[in-house]
Amino acid sequence: MASLLSSNTNVSSSFVRFSPSSHSQLLPSSLRETLPLPSSVRRRRGPFASRAVLQWNRKPQLAGETPRVVVITSGKGGVGKTTTTANIGLSLARLGFSVVAIDADVGLRNLDLLLGLENRVNYTAVEVLNGDCRLDQALVRDRRWPSLELLCISKPRSKLPLSFGSKAIIWIVDALRSRDAAPGPPDFVLIDCPAGIDAGFITAIAPANEAVLVTTPDITALRDADRVTGLLECDGIKDIKMIVNRIRTDLIRGEDMMSVLDVQEMLGLPLIGVIPEDSEVIKSTNRGHPLVLNQPPALAGLAFEQAAWRLVEQDSMTAVMLEEEPKKRGFFSFFGG
Amino acid sequence: MSSISNALSFIPFQSVNHHVIPPSLLLRAGNAANIEVLWFRKCRLSWSSQKACVFRVKAVGDSINSTGSEQVEDGAPVDFAAKASDSDRRVGALRVMIISLPSFVALVKRNAGSKYAMGIYIASTFVVIVARLILSRCKIQNKHGSVAELVRRGQLRSDRRGISNPLKYEDPFNNPQVKIEKNKSKVEMCGKVYRLAPVTLTQEEQLIHQRRRSRAYQWKRPTFFLKEGDPVPPGVDPDTVRWIPDNHPFASTATELDESLAQSNVFQKDGVPFRVRAEHEALQKKLENIQTSKTEMGIKQNNVPERERSAEPSTGPYDKVEPNPSPDHGNHNLDSSGNR
């Protein structure tokens, strides 16, 4: 549903308008050479070139310097930050980028559950700080897509020493950036921010260069989202994009829910995704099997895939879905056909 | 059937060449004057001129010439009487041949007496069916634990197997699930069609929103976390201090770790982690101390009787008490070593 077209501000966003075969040819060769290739792409040239079970024939062009540190935040709780982190993280991994997802929710972590990795979290960042383990030992690699790694900040009942301020998470990101071991430095570091603007929020946004604001089209979430956007801008994070979650076209049609364009008018942020309300989300959450792995793909899963693609290309939507068109009734519809 | 064949037979044009049929019997149906409508018993066949070009009609018997007069073919008169008798002979031979063939019912009736043979046939068929069933079951049992069986039991996903080809779509915007119309007014996702509207947000509007927010939310990210009541360190901007309440559920400001040590822990790439190494060293040191203390005690135990003997040579055998160090004594030794 959300799919929507990409803006024409970016050279790499031309994929929507041109045929796939012509896409790479339309880019100037010099530009193609200068475009940074993700490290995973470079690694694919090896003998075991991951004929990786990639679902997409084409890959998005990675824009910006790696690792890109993206904080996924919202202000209000329950809007889908963790779901977004899990699905976008896994989408990026499926697209061939190496991703480290950090669950920065101190005390109330859930990202491990959504990724189905809860039984494999033995060490967290707190143990790394204490010297109980090394950072690479605390990273949990997803067996389905090994280019996705999870790092939890703390165990449910343990306490993160805040006397270091936000330095701890900055050290972690710096250590990942300078990683020489087998996976190399990641292409993306996704930080799942806790709700609110408390110490957890301050810790989570500290190392970020860009932000994805997740909101739902209701007035409470929008007010919190506006405040969080203001804090992020005050902190120097200017690259903020928005995902509008849990859209229901039937309510929009009856004017019982704000449309995506209304939300955008209120917040003034570029969109990278519109996620429809989908019953598959709760099923995938309970199973620990992210939505984007569903076969056949679900509506919300496809929307997450598109959002991940735009995130890679630093692109934004130029058109959004308004309402669902009624189905055309055939000749035999009168007879129930 | 024989009567029909007696009356009329349609022979495709090419097959005519393989049969010895006198050309005079072949009526060129294309000639509408010769044949318009043929009546044979109660069958009425209408011939169009187009169909007549494809087939030739072979008429036999009395119906060769409805008028009874002689026909002229290629300028020569045709003797229909002689040719009719020739064809009568051929048809008669064909009829005899057909009649001489025993019918299926007659065959069955004739063999109905051999019940034993029928019973054997049925029994053998039954045995073959049973044998095939047993063989197929054996095959399934042999496949226990195979990948195919794991997939069948739902323990392995068929789309994740190495031998299967994964679904490959073009990209998330162009695939069987997502189709965007050329004029970008509609998009079809998962079978549902949605109307699209262009985004109207401009750069200017974004800047206006940014300015509004910067006026509304003037904020500095706190860099110092202090417990409520703690004094602000000198040289620290109070705006950058975050006060953590005493009863904060998840976070604490107090830590036993040194900041530089924590940083080095994070950046440690290989080797034994700091705390594990420290604990290991401490344990090893403790063990060494215990061992040294034990050896010292052992030496003391060995030395004590000699010293006692040398110090008190006149004491009786009952006065010699074996030194039995109490637990307190041992602990005292350990305490003195500074390990407990």
Side-chain angles (χ1 to χ4, degrees):
Chain A
M1 129 179 220
S3 18
L4 316 159
L5 317 171
S6 305
S7 73
N8 52 5
T9 54
N10 200 322
V11 175
S12 59
S13 66
S14 55
F15 66 92
V16 170
R17 285 173 290 280
F18 303 112
S19 67
S21 55
S22 63
H23 171 63
S24 58
Q25 292 164 4
L26 284 165
L27 290 173
S29 59
S30 57
L31 189 57
R32 262 179 275 154
E33 284 166 9
T34 52
L35 278 172
L37 277 173
S39 55
S40 52
V41 175
R42 290 193 293 271
R43 285 194 298 274
R44 195 164 293 116
R45 289 173 188 158
F48 296 102
S50 13
R51 126 190 136 69
V53 236
L54 268 185
Q55 195 176 5
W56 309 113
N57 283 335
R58 296 196 300 116
K59 284 170 60 73
Q61 296 279 354
L62 181 58
E65 284 184 14
T66 56
R68 284 173 56 186
V69 186
V70 184
V71 63
I72 295 171
T73 183
S74 70
K76 186 177 175 293
V79 294
K81 291 178 295 294
T82 309
T83 308
T84 304
T85 310
N87 282 289
I88 286 193
L90 209 57
S91 296
L92 293 173
R94 294 176 72 211
L95 290 169
F97 301 101
S98 59
V99 182
V100 174
I102 299 177
D103 191 346
D105 204 337
V106 180
L108 291 174
R109 71 172 201 218
N110 279 319
L111 187 57
D112 54 335
L113 273 176
L114 262 75
L115 290 170
L117 301 173
E118 69 275 11
N119 291 332
R120 297 182 53 209
V121 180
N122 295 323
Y123 296 118
T124 62
V126 170
E127 277 85 45
V128 176
L129 287 168
N130 287 337
D132 291 326
C133 68
R134 296 189 310 269
L135 181 59
D136 59 306
Q137 291 172 320
L139 290 166
V140 181
R141 184 164 297 176
D142 193 334
R143 285 185 183 136
R144 297 164 295 195
W145 297 92
S147 52
L148 175 70
E149 290 167 303
L150 170 71
L151 176 69
C152 296
I153 283 289
S154 68
K155 285 180 178 168
R157 280 175 291 278
S158 65
K159 292 183 176 181
L160 176 72
L162 290 176
S163 58
F164 304 148
S166 309
K167 292 172 195 164
I169 200 161
I170 295 175
W171 296 334
I172 288 169
V173 171
D174 286 343
L176 289 171
R177 195 176 275 132
S178 63
R179 188 165 66 172
D180 304 324
D187 297 317
F188 283 89
V189 178
L190 299 182
I191 302 170
D192 181 23
C193 183
I197 51 172
D198 207 354
F201 169 77
I202 295 159
T203 309
I205 67 167
N209 303 321
E210 50 191 297
V212 172
L213 189 86
V214 183
T215 184
T216 48
D218 54 86
I219 197 74
T220 51
L222 287 177
R223 181 198 266 179
D224 291 356
D226 190 62
R227 180 158 171 74
V228 163
T229 311
L231 301 189
L232 289 171
E233 284 169 351
C234 289
D235 196 43
I237 301 172
K238 300 290 181 189
D239 188 359
I240 306 169
K241 292 198 173 72
M242 176 172 60
I243 287 180
V244 184
N245 198 7
R246 305 186 74 174
I247 285 284
R248 281 187 61 178
T249 49
D250 53 339
L251 292 181
I252 292 173
R253 195 174 192 179
E255 296 194 341
D256 293 322
M257 179 182 269
M258 275 184 277
S259 75
V260 181
L261 290 179
D262 294 335
V263 172
Q264 194 173 35
E265 192 183 334
M266 288 182 74
L267 293 178
L269 292 173
L271 274 164
I272 63 163
V274 177
I275 316 297
E277 177 89 41
D278 197 337
S279 59
E280 288 294 320
V281 175
I282 196 155
K283 288 182 198 169
S284 68
T285 304
N286 291 339
R287 282 186 304 175
H289 190 259
L291 203 59
V292 292
L293 294 179
N294 272 20
Q295 203 64 262
L299 198 61
L302 278 169
F304 275 124
E305 293 263 1
Q306 293 175 348
W309 192 288
R310 291 192 194 97
L311 181 70
V312 173
E313 297 203 332
Q314 289 188 337
D315 207 348
S316 61
M317 295 164 72
T318 57
V320 294
M321 171 280 311
L322 275 191
E323 60 186 21
E324 187 180 347
E325 284 221 333
K327 281 188 177 178
K328 288 179 185 172
R329 298 178 72 83
F331 179 73
F332 293 105
S333 60
F334 179 75
F335 303 102
Chain B
M1 185 173 170
S2 60
S3 63
I4 293 172
S5 64
N6 190 16
L8 175 69
S9 65
F10 299 102
I11 302 168
F13 186 74
Q14 288 184 346
S15 65
V16 169
N17 299 331
H18 303 294
H19 293 81
V20 186
I21 299 169
S24 58
L25 288 178
L26 298 175
L27 300 180
R28 197 173 289 278
N31 189 353
N34 293 337
I35 286 184
E36 282 297 330
V37 178
L38 299 176
W39 282 89
F40 300 107
R41 298 190 183 166
K42 291 180 181 178
C43 299
R44 178 181 174 180
L45 298 174
S46 298
W47 286 81
S48 65
S49 58
Q50 285 182 344
K51 284 180 181 175
C53 295
V54 181
F55 291 100
R56 289 190 176 187
V57 178
K58 180 189 172 189
V60 293
D62 299 334
S63 61
I64 292 172
N65 190 357
S66 58
T67 57
S69 62
E70 289 186 345
Q71 297 290 323
V72 176
E73 197 174 75
D74 296 335
V78 180
D79 185 7
F80 274 103
K83 291 189 176 179
S85 63
D86 183 33
S87 65
D88 273 345
R89 257 188 287 114
R90 287 168 186 275
V91 170
L94 182 64
R95 194 182 292 161
V96 168
M97 191 180 74
I98 289 169
I99 289 169
S100 66
L101 284 173
S103 65
F104 176 74
V105 178
L107 272 175
V108 170
K109 280 183 179 174
R110 196 182 301 162
N111 295 327
S114 57
K115 289 177 183 174
Y116 292 113
M118 291 293 286
I120 288 168
Y121 290 148
I122 292 168
S124 60
T125 310
F126 182 73
V127 167
V128 166
I129 290 168
V130 170
R132 283 197 66 182
L133 277 174
I134 291 168
L135 281 175
S136 62
R137 271 189 198 168
C138 285
K139 272 185 184 175
I140 290 169
Q141 280 174 357
N142 288 340
K143 282 182 181 174
H144 273 184
S146 68
V147 176
E149 207 219 13
L150 287 176
V151 171
R152 189 176 58 78
R153 278 159 46 194
Q155 293 185 359
L156 192 67
R157 292 189 52 178
S158 59
D159 59 330
R160 305 294 300 276
R161 291 169 61 189
I163 55 172
S164 67
N165 290 325
L167 275 176
K168 283 205 168 185
Y169 296 153
E170 202 53 49
D171 56 51
F173 306 93
N174 177 24
N175 60 67
Q177 302 287 334
V178 183
K179 288 166 192 166
I180 300 171
E181 278 195 359
K182 281 183 182 175
N183 57 3
K184 297 174 188 171
S185 63
K186 288 175 192 169
V187 62
E188 186 185 340
M189 287 182 75
C190 295
K192 293 179 181 176
V193 181
Y194 297 98
R195 197 161 58 81
L196 290 177
V199 167
T200 53
L201 185 75
T202 59
Q203 288 285 339
E204 290 77 30
E205 285 174 347
Q206 285 187 42
L207 284 173
I208 289 168
H209 276 283
Q210 277 186 10
R211 270 186 240 122
R212 173 184 62 80
R213 279 191 288 258
S214 67
R215 278 196 303 272
Y217 312 113
Q218 293 177 355
W219 185 71
K220 275 184 183 177
R221 173 152 54 90
T223 48
F224 285 90
F225 292 83
L226 296 175
K227 202 183 285 183
E228 281 178 349
D230 284 354
V232 178
V236 171
D237 183 2
D239 288 343
T240 61
V241 173
R242 186 81 183 181
W243 298 100
I244 304 293
D246 287 337
N247 58 350
H248 195 288
F250 305 127
S252 67
T253 57
T255 177
E256 298 166 356
L257 266 182
D258 181 31
E259 188 174 319
S260 60
L261 185 60
Q263 189 176 2
S264 67
N265 287 340
V266 172
F267 283 94
Q268 185 181 359
K269 289 179 180 170
D270 45 19
V272 183
F274 160 74
R275 189 176 289 269
V276 176
R277 192 177 62 237
E279 282 177 2
H280 178 75
E281 285 172 358
L283 197 65
Q284 205 164 10
K285 199 172 174 183
K286 199 164 107 180
L287 283 171
E288 282 172 6
N289 286 336
I290 289 170
Q291 279 179 348
T292 49
S293 63
K294 273 187 179 175
T295 49
E296 280 174 8
M297 281 167 56
I299 291 166
K300 279 178 187 172
Q301 284 171 7
N302 291 336
N303 289 345
V304 163
E306 290 174 8
R307 269 186 274 145
E308 281 176 353
R309 251 181 268 128
S310 59
E312 300 171 9
S314 59
T315 52
Y318 294 102
D319 294 335
K320 287 180 185 174
V321 180
E322 284 288 322
N324 186 14
S326 65
D328 295 337
H329 184 69
N331 281 343
H332 177 71
N333 283 345
L334 285 175
D335 287 339
S336 63
S337 66
N339 283 325
R340 289 231 177 139

